[in-house]
Amino acid sequence: MTQAAEPSQERLKQELDHLLQRLSRTRLRKGDPPDQALLRPARKPVYLLLRDHERAERLAQQLEFFGLSAQPLFDAGAFMASVAEQPPAAIVMDVDFDGPGGGVPLAARVQQGQEQAVPLLFFSHHETDTPTRLAAVRAGGQAFLTGTLEASSLLEKLEMITSTAPHDPLRVLIIDDSRTQALHTERVLANAGMITRSLTDPIRTMAELAEFQPDLIILDLYMPGCSGPELAKVIRHNDRYVSVPIIYLSAEDDLDKQLDAMSEGGDDFLTKPIRSRHLITTVRNRAARARHLKARMVRDSLTGLYNHTHILQLLEDCSFRARRERQPLSFAMLDIDHFKKINDHHGHPMGDRVIKSLALFLKQRLRKSDFIGRYGGEEFAIVMPNTALDAAHKVLDEIRRRFAEILYPAQPSDLQCTFSAGVVQMDEELDALTMASAADEALYRAKHAGRNCVVRVEP
Ligand SMILES: [Mg+2]
């Protein structure tokens, strides 16, 4: 590349970015508020540093297919130069890149030169020992993959460690009959960046839980009408809140009473007066851990989408909210056409690949505020808040059209897949369950109408 060519290349790149941004605008819905119309910044690449160069190239191609820009690099010099030129979205580093064990110090060196830590993922073809993993952690590694590096599992991890969405603040519900005490706790936690709410009347607990969806509950021990341990049991009797941490905060300093309370569904006992820092750290650790576990519980392992149970719960939550706020809500069910044939003719790995690609396709093309679930084998469900039937139908039909254009390389000829969908809007008569069955019925009609179409349930 000559020196003179560089400026025009740069301009070309800018124009390309601009065009890409305009393209990405096409997926936005009419009537979207302006803040949702904000475009994603131009994509930074992911640098792939694997000992097996051929695999790195192949992996990069597959990642591109999923819409991620990946660049394989083959030696330390090229890596350093590339990072200096363009900091990546993430680094995937083979621990044995640049010689046995050489990947870790190399990544650490590059990381030190960065103003902001670059998301870093280590990979080892073989199962590794603790010292290697420890070195990876010390080098700033956020994840560690072993075995055969596959595009989909890599993508999943990358999505997890690079999710630029600002971390959702932790949500803490404080239940205490003393308003003064509750306000004090609220203030301490709010100052630490958490979203708090307090409840002085324990009888309203279940409604408040459904509405606020806290990551953690701080519970008083002695309240009129209902004791803390009694309330903890009530909370635990609901499957949805079995794993929400409950921390007692009380002046009770009798250890036996504390232990009794703990054995009734509590996770920890903090004694008043308590240092702010102690309270914040305990709450933050417990809540973050619970959130992490919950994310695993509610997600489907193949696609990373919400699982069947959780998407139905979300539909229920959203329909309550929609009713209260008098906003429209749509719900759709999708099913990949002739999926059995794909599995029979091309094998299950191809079937999985189609499922994963539809999952990614939906994630990319729907709004952040929409909820996507894997409903069953090749069935998907989508909850679309603040969306009326017309808009939902239009968006789904556009996705359907685009999805049908994807070619999956296969023998003897490339594979093309389609899906059918049914979509319904909530109204006075429909609760979450009837909505789900109405969408299912519409999906059935779409299948009978010849597939590859979206059928709407007219109100
Ligand atoms: Mg009290």
Short mmCIF file of all heavy atoms in Angstrom, two decimals, residues 234-259:
data_model
loop_
_atom_site.label_atom_id
_atom_site.label_comp_id
_atom_site.label_asym_id
_atom_site.label_seq_id
_atom_site.Cartn_x
_atom_site.Cartn_y
_atom_site.Cartn_z
N VAL A 234 -42.89 -17.30 52.73
CA VAL A 234 -43.90 -16.96 51.73
C VAL A 234 -43.23 -16.69 50.38
O VAL A 234 -43.67 -17.19 49.34
CB VAL A 234 -44.72 -15.72 52.18
CG1 VAL A 234 -45.58 -15.19 51.04
CG2 VAL A 234 -45.58 -16.06 53.38
N ILE A 235 -42.14 -15.94 50.43
CA ILE A 235 -41.42 -15.61 49.18
C ILE A 235 -40.89 -16.89 48.52
O ILE A 235 -41.04 -17.10 47.32
CB ILE A 235 -40.27 -14.62 49.45
CG1 ILE A 235 -40.83 -13.27 49.92
CG2 ILE A 235 -39.40 -14.43 48.21
CD1 ILE A 235 -39.79 -12.32 50.45
N ARG A 236 -40.30 -17.75 49.35
CA ARG A 236 -39.69 -18.98 48.82
C ARG A 236 -40.72 -19.96 48.26
O ARG A 236 -40.38 -20.83 47.47
CB ARG A 236 -38.87 -19.68 49.90
CG ARG A 236 -37.66 -18.90 50.36
CD ARG A 236 -36.59 -18.84 49.29
NE ARG A 236 -35.35 -18.25 49.77
CZ ARG A 236 -34.72 -17.25 49.19
NH1 ARG A 236 -35.21 -16.70 48.08
NH2 ARG A 236 -33.60 -16.77 49.68
N HIS A 237 -41.98 -19.82 48.72
CA HIS A 237 -43.00 -20.73 48.20
C HIS A 237 -43.34 -20.46 46.75
O HIS A 237 -44.03 -21.23 46.11
CB HIS A 237 -44.28 -20.63 49.05
CG HIS A 237 -44.18 -21.44 50.31
ND1 HIS A 237 -45.16 -21.50 51.25
CD2 HIS A 237 -43.18 -22.22 50.77
CE1 HIS A 237 -44.79 -22.29 52.24
NE2 HIS A 237 -43.58 -22.73 51.97
N ASN A 238 -42.90 -19.31 46.25
CA ASN A 238 -43.14 -19.01 44.85
C ASN A 238 -41.89 -19.38 44.05
O ASN A 238 -40.81 -18.85 44.28
CB ASN A 238 -43.44 -17.51 44.70
CG ASN A 238 -43.89 -17.15 43.30
OD1 ASN A 238 -43.36 -17.68 42.32
ND2 ASN A 238 -44.87 -16.29 43.21
N ASP A 239 -42.06 -20.30 43.12
CA ASP A 239 -40.93 -20.80 42.32
C ASP A 239 -40.06 -19.70 41.72
O ASP A 239 -38.86 -19.84 41.58
CB ASP A 239 -41.43 -21.68 41.17
CG ASP A 239 -41.78 -23.06 41.68
OD1 ASP A 239 -41.41 -23.36 42.83
OD2 ASP A 239 -42.42 -23.82 40.93
N ARG A 240 -40.70 -18.62 41.36
CA ARG A 240 -39.96 -17.56 40.67
C ARG A 240 -38.94 -16.89 41.57
O ARG A 240 -37.98 -16.30 41.11
CB ARG A 240 -40.92 -16.48 40.16
CG ARG A 240 -41.65 -16.90 38.93
CD ARG A 240 -42.28 -15.70 38.29
NE ARG A 240 -41.33 -14.91 37.54
CZ ARG A 240 -41.68 -13.91 36.78
NH1 ARG A 240 -42.94 -13.56 36.68
NH2 ARG A 240 -40.79 -13.22 36.10
N TYR A 241 -39.17 -16.96 42.89
CA TYR A 241 -38.28 -16.21 43.79
C TYR A 241 -37.45 -17.14 44.68
O TYR A 241 -36.91 -16.73 45.70
CB TYR A 241 -39.11 -15.22 44.63
CG TYR A 241 -39.97 -14.36 43.75
CD1 TYR A 241 -41.36 -14.43 43.78
CD2 TYR A 241 -39.39 -13.50 42.82
CE1 TYR A 241 -42.13 -13.65 42.94
CE2 TYR A 241 -40.16 -12.73 41.97
CZ TYR A 241 -41.53 -12.81 42.03
OH TYR A 241 -42.29 -12.06 41.19
N VAL A 242 -37.35 -18.38 44.27
CA VAL A 242 -36.59 -19.34 45.07
C VAL A 242 -35.12 -18.93 45.17
O VAL A 242 -34.47 -19.13 46.19
CB VAL A 242 -36.72 -20.75 44.45
CG1 VAL A 242 -35.63 -21.66 44.97
CG2 VAL A 242 -38.08 -21.34 44.77
N SER A 243 -34.60 -18.31 44.13
CA SER A 243 -33.17 -18.01 44.14
C SER A 243 -32.83 -16.54 44.40
O SER A 243 -31.67 -16.16 44.35
CB SER A 243 -32.53 -18.47 42.83
OG SER A 243 -33.17 -17.83 41.76
N VAL A 244 -33.83 -15.72 44.69
CA VAL A 244 -33.51 -14.32 45.02
C VAL A 244 -32.92 -14.29 46.42
O VAL A 244 -33.54 -14.76 47.37
CB VAL A 244 -34.79 -13.43 44.99
CG1 VAL A 244 -34.45 -12.00 45.35
CG2 VAL A 244 -35.44 -13.50 43.63
N PRO A 245 -31.70 -13.76 46.60
CA PRO A 245 -31.11 -13.74 47.93
C PRO A 245 -31.92 -12.88 48.90
O PRO A 245 -32.41 -11.83 48.52
CB PRO A 245 -29.73 -13.11 47.71
CG PRO A 245 -29.50 -13.14 46.24
CD PRO A 245 -30.83 -13.16 45.58
N ILE A 246 -32.05 -13.40 50.11
CA ILE A 246 -32.72 -12.63 51.16
C ILE A 246 -31.70 -12.39 52.27
O ILE A 246 -31.10 -13.34 52.80
CB ILE A 246 -33.93 -13.40 51.73
CG1 ILE A 246 -34.98 -13.59 50.64
CG2 ILE A 246 -34.51 -12.67 52.94
CD1 ILE A 246 -36.18 -14.43 51.07
N ILE A 247 -31.48 -11.14 52.59
CA ILE A 247 -30.55 -10.79 53.66
C ILE A 247 -31.32 -10.13 54.79
O ILE A 247 -32.06 -9.17 54.56
CB ILE A 247 -29.46 -9.82 53.14
CG1 ILE A 247 -28.62 -10.50 52.06
CG2 ILE A 247 -28.60 -9.34 54.28
CD1 ILE A 247 -27.54 -9.60 51.51
N TYR A 248 -31.16 -10.67 56.00
CA TYR A 248 -31.79 -10.03 57.14
C TYR A 248 -30.93 -8.88 57.61
O TYR A 248 -29.70 -9.00 57.66
CB TYR A 248 -31.97 -11.03 58.29
CG TYR A 248 -33.01 -12.09 58.00
CD1 TYR A 248 -32.63 -13.38 57.67
CD2 TYR A 248 -34.36 -11.77 58.05
CE1 TYR A 248 -33.58 -14.35 57.41
CE2 TYR A 248 -35.32 -12.74 57.78
CZ TYR A 248 -34.92 -14.02 57.46
OH TYR A 248 -35.86 -14.98 57.19
N LEU A 249 -31.60 -7.80 57.93
CA LEU A 249 -30.88 -6.66 58.51
C LEU A 249 -31.63 -6.27 59.77
O LEU A 249 -32.77 -5.80 59.71
CB LEU A 249 -30.83 -5.49 57.51
CG LEU A 249 -30.13 -4.22 57.97
CD1 LEU A 249 -28.67 -4.49 58.31
CD2 LEU A 249 -30.21 -3.14 56.90
N SER A 250 -31.02 -6.51 60.92
CA SER A 250 -31.76 -6.31 62.16
C SER A 250 -30.79 -6.00 63.30
O SER A 250 -29.61 -6.31 63.23
CB SER A 250 -32.55 -7.58 62.47
OG SER A 250 -33.00 -7.56 63.81
N ALA A 251 -31.34 -5.41 64.37
CA ALA A 251 -30.52 -5.14 65.54
C ALA A 251 -30.41 -6.37 66.43
O ALA A 251 -29.67 -6.36 67.42
CB ALA A 251 -31.11 -3.96 66.33
N GLU A 252 -31.14 -7.39 66.09
CA GLU A 252 -31.10 -8.63 66.89
C GLU A 252 -29.67 -9.18 66.95
O GLU A 252 -29.10 -9.51 65.92
CB GLU A 252 -32.02 -9.67 66.23
CG GLU A 252 -32.02 -11.03 66.91
CD GLU A 252 -32.45 -10.94 68.36
OE1 GLU A 252 -33.63 -10.64 68.60
OE2 GLU A 252 -31.60 -11.14 69.27
N ASP A 253 -29.12 -9.26 68.20
CA ASP A 253 -27.73 -9.73 68.25
C ASP A 253 -27.60 -11.09 68.90
O ASP A 253 -26.51 -11.59 69.13
CB ASP A 253 -26.82 -8.69 68.91
CG ASP A 253 -27.31 -8.33 70.30
OD1 ASP A 253 -28.33 -8.94 70.74
OD2 ASP A 253 -26.71 -7.46 70.95
N ASP A 254 -28.75 -11.72 69.19
CA ASP A 254 -28.74 -13.09 69.72
C ASP A 254 -28.45 -14.05 68.57
O ASP A 254 -29.24 -14.18 67.63
CB ASP A 254 -30.11 -13.38 70.35
CG ASP A 254 -30.17 -14.81 70.91
OD1 ASP A 254 -29.40 -15.67 70.44
OD2 ASP A 254 -31.00 -15.04 71.81
N LEU A 255 -27.29 -14.70 68.66
CA LEU A 255 -26.84 -15.53 67.54
C LEU A 255 -27.84 -16.65 67.22
O LEU A 255 -28.08 -16.96 66.06
CB LEU A 255 -25.45 -16.12 67.85
CG LEU A 255 -24.83 -16.90 66.69
CD1 LEU A 255 -24.62 -16.00 65.47
CD2 LEU A 255 -23.51 -17.53 67.11
N ASP A 256 -28.44 -17.24 68.29
CA ASP A 256 -29.40 -18.31 68.04
C ASP A 256 -30.59 -17.82 67.22
O ASP A 256 -31.05 -18.48 66.30
CB ASP A 256 -29.89 -18.91 69.36
CG ASP A 256 -28.86 -19.89 69.92
OD1 ASP A 256 -28.21 -20.56 69.08
OD2 ASP A 256 -28.69 -19.96 71.14
N LYS A 257 -31.07 -16.65 67.58
CA LYS A 257 -32.21 -16.09 66.84
C LYS A 257 -31.81 -15.78 65.40
O LYS A 257 -32.58 -15.95 64.46
CB LYS A 257 -32.73 -14.84 67.54
CG LYS A 257 -33.50 -15.21 68.80
CD LYS A 257 -34.25 -14.04 69.37
CE LYS A 257 -35.06 -14.51 70.58
NZ LYS A 257 -35.06 -13.53 71.66
N GLN A 258 -30.58 -15.32 65.25
CA GLN A 258 -30.08 -15.04 63.89
C GLN A 258 -30.05 -16.32 63.06
O GLN A 258 -30.50 -16.36 61.92
CB GLN A 258 -28.67 -14.46 63.95
CG GLN A 258 -28.61 -13.06 64.51
CD GLN A 258 -27.21 -12.45 64.39
OE1 GLN A 258 -26.30 -13.08 63.84
NE2 GLN A 258 -27.04 -11.25 64.90
N LEU A 259 -29.54 -17.39 63.69
CA LEU A 259 -29.44 -18.66 62.96
C LEU A 259 -30.81 -19.24 62.65
O LEU A 259 -31.03 -19.79 61.57
CB LEU A 259 -28.60 -19.66 63.76
CG LEU A 259 -27.10 -19.29 63.83
CD1 LEU A 259 -26.36 -20.25 64.76
CD2 LEU A 259 -26.47 -19.30 62.44
#
